[in-house]
Amino acid sequence: MDYSKQKLRRSQFILVYGPGSIIEGPNGSRLMPSLEGLGEENCNDAFFTKYEIKDVRMSHMLNKESEDWNYECHFISIPSNDSIDDDEPRVIYSTVMFPSWHICHKRNPSVLYFHNIYDEYCPAYDEEKCVDCDKKNNPNVRFVRACPDGHLDEVYWSYEVHGDDKSCKNSDYFYWISTGSSLENIIIQCPFCGLKTDMQNIYKQKRRCTARIPENEELHGSKVSVTKPERTFECSEKMSVIQKQSSSLRLPYTRTLLKIPTFDESILNIFNNSHLKVYLDTLEEHMDMEYFPKDKFLKGVLKYLDTEDFWKVKDYLENHEISDFYNEYRRVGSRDVSFSNALDEEYKGIRYGEKESANFSRSDFFPYTLNGLDYEFPLKVCAIEKLTTVTAQLSYQRKPHPKKDKISDEIIKSDFISVGYLDEDVDPNKMWYPSFMGVGEGIFITSDENPFNFNLNLDETITKWETCQVDVSYDERPETKNPLFIWWHTLSHAIIKSLSLSCGYSAASLHERVYLDEDSEKGGILIYNTSPGDDSGMGGLVDLVYNKKEFEKVLKNALNSLLVCSNDPLCSSVELEDGGVNGSACHNCLLVSETSCEHQN
């Protein structure tokens, strides 16, 4: 086995990892660098365009959000060995050794040392003590420092041990003495001057931020890459010690859109081209397009399109008029390109739109009933036999500790660090985001009725919810505060957990999307799976809808799970308070995987 390589699914790169993440590889922990980790020979427009994922709705939405910047947003699917079709598997995306401090447990006491890839031995090497010691296989230390503005660095072990005492010049290695499982039982001691500290004390100390972003630093080395640290100290935040595998060290921010029939035509994807749009607008302004020759039009657009897109236009005009082409252009360009509007388009497309297109296929709606304690609520359920999603990772946050306002001491949002790669060698400049296209299946559940028109006895609860100042500032959808949204969102989590318990699907393999119509009178939920390798991607969800008895069992179990909690009366006694979210839902009954819930539970 070649231990210099490790396989990573494309969906993992987007949903979990990506630039700035730390992964555990065969030879220790590695940091994923920016998209420049693809190598100098691949960081160019030709390579990126070869693996581009085109989605007109996603492109226009992000172009609108970044309109103050002079670039177009594009999406690249990180290639795999299979897609490159190499005879021999090779490393496609280089990673960086991080952290650079390692621990050798073959010495007594163990040694914490700085791993220099250019030296054969570690700085603590001793011919008598280091017998059969393989430096490259010693594990990385599991602690790093980070700040809520996204900066990441090593723990400066020498300062933690010596403090301001500069009499000892040792900064290369220390004794790592572990006498128990708690942090206070991990002692770090200098072998020369004897000064020591423990991990509990190190954890308490917040240090000045170095403003280092290691994933953006230049790569060095051949077999094992490292970076030359760039520390500007231009950050007012403090750095905290955090374990490198902590989920709060890197929280990816992704956007997912469905490919719906209304916009599921390949011709639409060419309209994310600034030069082409200028040409089309200028041509329409000065020419009567009703009488403009098709061959002359094709000759004009040729200079702005690559070969593939040119043939799309040529094939389209063989069956349509230029006026039809312009109608499609206006339809795409005149839309409200906000994320909320994109979800409205999906809701209408799934519920009222065509049943089939190249990337989408759904069944008719089947009637089901949600049987509560004293009511029956009618549902409409359809099986989506083919569902295609485009997911892009745009940025990430680090939250080693809450970020607070310096004056008011209130908790504020942590900064986002972009993962995009800006290609300034093309005109217009292109911002490339790592993305993946998933194909799978789903269940869409909606209703023609508003549940609050039934006898649910929710008036008091809704009134309390509306008077509480619930903090949902982390969510970009204002409708998440709507009680009807909460109702559908609660049902979504209950069904996901029911599918997991009743049908054997892992909850982490299922994803959700909650919809409200424009009037906030009706809603719906989509539960789907489009990630390769997960269960329920082979027709299992679709078959449930067709099997009325089994799906009714799923609905029944979902409602039953909300009636009693194993943590009661502890959970039932928690009340919703201003400024918080505790009390809005039971963490034991409704908590699902972070990859499943779009709204951070």
Side-chain angles (χ1 to χ4, degrees), residues 368-384:
Y368 280 93
T369 302
L370 199 62
N371 295 300
L373 292 176
D374 55 357
Y375 68 94
E376 291 185 350
F377 182 65
L379 295 176
K380 296 168 61 177
V381 183
C382 77
I384 303 182

Side-chain angles (χ1 to χ4, degrees), residues 54-70:
K54 295 183 178 181
D55 185 87
V56 64
R57 294 200 306 141
M58 183 83 82
S59 298
H60 277 226
M61 180 176 67
L62 296 185
N63 286 339
K64 179 65 176 178
E65 293 178 359
S66 61
E67 61 183 358
D68 294 337
W69 302 93
N70 185 29

Side-chain angles (χ1 to χ4, degrees), residues 307-323:
T307 303
E308 181 182 354
D309 286 340
F310 173 77
W311 280 103
K312 288 179 183 178
V313 177
K314 191 174 187 305
D315 292 341
Y316 181 87
L317 291 179
E318 288 182 359
N319 302 305
H320 301 81
E321 299 301 323
I322 295 179
S323 59

Side-chain angles (χ1 to χ4, degrees), residues 477-495:
R477 295 178 63 186
E479 61 266 32
T480 55
K481 294 183 70 172
N482 190 309
L484 182 59
F485 186 98
I486 303 298
W487 190 91
W488 282 104
H489 195 190
T490 301
L491 180 62
S492 173
H493 278 219
I495 291 178

Side-chain angles (χ1 to χ4, degrees), residues 60-337:
H60 277 226
M61 180 176 67
L62 296 185
N63 286 339
K64 179 65 176 178
E65 293 178 359
S66 61
E67 61 183 358
D68 294 337
W69 302 93
N70 185 29
Y71 58 72
E72 294 176 349
C73 295
H74 292 258
F75 312 99
I76 178 175
S77 174
I78 304 300
S80 63
N81 280 283
D82 294 334
S83 64
I84 290 181
D85 197 25
D86 280 344
D87 294 333
E88 293 292 335
R90 64 181 177 89
V91 173
I92 295 175
Y93 203 105
S94 299
T95 56
V96 176
M97 182 174 66
F98 190 89
S100 295
W101 285 81
H102 289 58
I103 298 179
C104 176
H105 292 291
K106 294 184 179 180
R107 291 272 295 269
N108 188 16
S110 299
V111 174
L112 170 69
Y113 65 93
F114 182 79
H115 183 115
N116 190 329
I117 64 172
Y118 301 107
D119 291 338
E120 182 179 358
Y121 300 110
C122 80
Y125 179 75
D126 184 284
E127 290 186 0
E128 296 182 1
K129 297 179 180 178
C130 298
V131 180
D132 297 327
C133 181
D134 189 358
K135 172 187 167 184
K136 66 179 182 179
N137 287 329
N138 288 330
N140 310 66
V141 69
R142 66 179 188 271
F143 302 101
V144 295
R145 280 199 182 274
C147 93
D149 276 349
H151 301 120
L152 176 69
D153 207 346
E154 311 259 4
V155 176
Y156 190 15
W157 297 102
S158 179
Y159 185 81
E160 299 297 344
V161 173
H162 295 121
D164 295 324
D165 186 352
K166 298 181 180 180
S167 60
C168 181
K169 303 301 181 182
N170 173 47
S171 62
D172 293 329
Y173 77 97
F174 302 90
Y175 291 142
W176 182 276
I177 306 169
S178 180
T179 60
S181 57
S182 64
L183 290 174
E184 63 182 348
N185 292 327
I186 300 177
I187 308 298
I188 298 92
Q189 183 178 19
C190 178
F192 296 95
C193 67
L195 287 177
K196 60 184 177 180
T197 186
D198 59 70
M199 281 306 305
Q200 186 179 53
N201 181 58
I202 293 176
Y203 249 91
K204 292 179 181 178
Q205 305 299 324
K206 291 184 179 180
R207 302 299 186 188
R208 179 184 177 187
C209 181
T210 61
R212 183 186 179 190
I213 306 180
E215 59 267 33
N216 292 340
E217 296 170 350
E218 185 179 354
L219 276 64
H220 298 277
S222 53
K223 292 185 177 181
V224 179
S225 295
V226 293
T227 64
K228 183 179 180 180
E230 298 176 5
R231 301 181 175 100
T232 64
F233 294 92
E234 297 175 352
C235 178
S236 60
E237 292 295 323
K238 296 292 185 179
M239 295 187 113
S240 297
V241 171
I242 187 172
Q243 295 205 42
K244 63 186 179 183
Q245 293 304 319
S246 170
S247 59
S248 60
L249 182 60
R250 186 183 185 278
L251 301 171
Y253 173 64
T254 63
R255 281 279 183 81
T256 298
L257 291 182
L258 311 183
K259 283 197 172 284
I260 54 177
T262 316
F263 295 93
D264 199 10
E265 296 182 34
S266 59
I267 189 68
L268 302 180
N269 290 322
I270 71 170
F271 296 135
N272 185 36
N273 184 317
S274 300
H275 291 314
L276 176 64
K277 288 188 283 188
V278 171
Y279 173 76
L280 293 176
D281 292 338
T282 305
L283 191 63
E284 186 180 35
E285 182 180 350
H286 295 92
M287 296 291 180
D288 186 348
M289 301 312 299
E290 185 177 352
Y291 303 102
F292 198 77
K294 288 185 178 180
D295 57 345
K296 191 174 181 180
F297 179 79
L298 285 170
K299 186 176 180 180
V301 300
L302 175 60
K303 66 181 74 173
Y304 305 111
L305 300 174
D306 58 31
T307 303
E308 181 182 354
D309 286 340
F310 173 77
W311 280 103
K312 288 179 183 178
V313 177
K314 191 174 187 305
D315 292 341
Y316 181 87
L317 291 179
E318 288 182 359
N319 302 305
H320 301 81
E321 299 301 323
I322 295 179
S323 59
D324 298 324
F325 182 85
Y326 266 95
N327 287 337
E328 294 290 352
Y329 171 58
R330 294 189 196 95
R331 181 166 71 91
V332 171
S334 61
R335 299 162 43 249
D336 174 5
V337 292

Side-chain angles (χ1 to χ4, degrees), residues 14-71:
I14 306 304
L15 298 175
V16 183
Y17 301 114
S21 63
I22 299 177
I23 64 173
E24 291 301 323
N27 286 328
S29 59
R30 296 290 185 267
L31 179 80
M32 301 289 287
S34 65
L35 289 183
E36 291 181 337
L38 288 167
E40 292 183 4
E41 70 279 7
N42 295 330
C43 284
N44 55 66
D45 189 61
F47 182 87
F48 281 61
T49 301
K50 182 179 179 181
Y51 297 101
E52 181 177 6
I53 295 176
K54 295 183 178 181
D55 185 87
V56 64
R57 294 200 306 141
M58 183 83 82
S59 298
H60 277 226
M61 180 176 67
L62 296 185
N63 286 339
K64 179 65 176 178
E65 293 178 359
S66 61
E67 61 183 358
D68 294 337
W69 302 93
N70 185 29
Y71 58 72

